[in-house]
Amino acid sequence: MKVDWARKLTSRKFWVSIAGFVAGLIIIFGGSQEDADKIGGSILSGAAVVGYVLGEGLSDHGNAASPKNTNKNEEE
């Protein structure tokens, strides 16, 4: 089974899961709640950037692959 990484990396659920997992690990290994909050927030901020960049790239790729709209008035 092939994983669609572009779709996975643009998923908010995926990033919230990662941030929650990392924050939980920080607490388990003796970190403070404040550290867990900062790191979890940083992961989610980075995820927003990754999601935007991948989303725009996929959109641009889709637009480049589709035929260009031509104005019929220009052809006449």
Side-chain angles (χ1 to χ4, degrees), residues 39-56:
I39 293 170
S42 296
I43 290 171
L44 292 176
S45 295
V49 172
V50 169
Y52 176 79
V53 169
L54 285 175
E56 286 296 310

